[in-house]
Amino acid sequence: MSADVMIRRLRPDDANSFRAIRLEALTVNPEAFGSTLELEDKLDVPWFASRLENSHVMGAFRDDELVGTAGFAVQQGQKHAHKGRLWGMYVRPSSRNIGVGRLLVSAVLDVAREKVELIQLTVVRDNRPARRLYESVGFVEFGMEPKASKLGEKYYEEAHMALDFSQSGRISEA
């Protein structure tokens, strides 16, 4: 685990850095996100500032450089407000495999535990490092979506995973 990493919630004044890392993520791992570079590259810094003001996005910093992000959102509607979603998880390649991802996920889970009973995510089936990370903190796979996304002519399957805080990671079968 890297001792030189600081995790904190991103603020609207982090919008330039957040926009840059988000566009990088959509370039480096386009299959991992529901959005596209073409769409988000058209969005200006004030749009990203607004997103940070109205969302809970954690940032990982090394030497004052934003090297990773992970977002959390409570699902909308009375019937779904007990659930949250981990979204936008990304760590720059130069900061991978030193524990940054685990720190980000842990920070999101700390926030989520206070707000929801269950947190969900989707992850590309072939992204084994991410799936191992999520499983190691208690997420359980509960389904696989074939052809969940398509990039060019290639389809990607996505694993649906959840962590039920009241069950220590076990998803009830009821």
Side-chain angles (χ1 to χ4, degrees):
M1 190 76 59
S2 180
D4 64 341
V5 177
M6 182 189 71
I7 306 292
R8 69 166 170 81
R9 184 174 180 174
L10 296 181
R11 303 175 304 254
D13 63 332
D14 293 310
N16 279 320
S17 297
F18 179 56
R19 182 179 188 275
I21 198 169
R22 180 73 178 167
L23 296 180
E24 176 186 317
L26 293 168
T27 301
V28 173
N29 295 110
E31 76 286 354
F33 302 94
S35 188
T36 65
L37 177 64
E38 294 75 21
L39 174 70
E40 293 200 23
D41 192 36
K42 296 174 185 169
L43 302 173
D44 59 12
V45 172
W47 185 90
F48 283 90
S50 175
R51 188 167 193 190
L52 291 176
E53 188 168 6
N54 298 312
S55 301
H56 199 106
V57 180
M58 302 304 290
F61 292 84
R62 291 180 75 197
D63 301 320
D64 295 324
E65 176 192 0
L66 182 61
V67 298
T69 61
F72 169 73
V74 176
Q75 292 189 22
Q76 299 299 304
Q78 183 179 0
K79 289 184 174 182
H80 301 280
H82 66 289
K83 298 185 289 186
R85 177 161 289 299
L86 188 153
W87 61 270
M89 176 73 176
Y90 177 74
V91 176
R92 288 193 160 138
S94 62
S95 292
R96 292 180 184 169
N97 301 312
I98 61 168
V100 175
R102 179 172 300 281
L103 290 172
L104 281 167
V105 170
S106 294
V108 167
L109 294 180
D110 288 345
V111 172
R113 270 187 199 90
E114 301 297 318
K115 300 187 180 295
V116 295
E117 299 170 29
L118 179 113
I119 184 168
Q120 300 173 316
L121 61 83
T122 58
V123 59
V124 172
R125 183 195 71 186
D126 296 335
N127 189 343
R128 300 247 185 258
R131 290 178 67 191
R132 277 193 302 272
L133 169 61
Y134 299 137
E135 289 170 355
S136 75
V137 297
F139 280 90
V140 175
E141 185 178 310
F142 66 90
M144 189 67 68
E145 182 179 354
K147 294 186 174 182
S149 61
K150 183 178 179 182
L151 189 59
E153 295 302 312
K154 184 171 180 176
Y155 292 97
Y156 294 90
E157 291 184 348
E158 290 182 356
H160 292 258
M161 302 181 84
L163 189 157
D164 185 336
F165 294 119
S166 68
Q167 304 263 333
S168 298
R170 295 193 189 278
I171 306 303
S172 64
E173 303 282 328

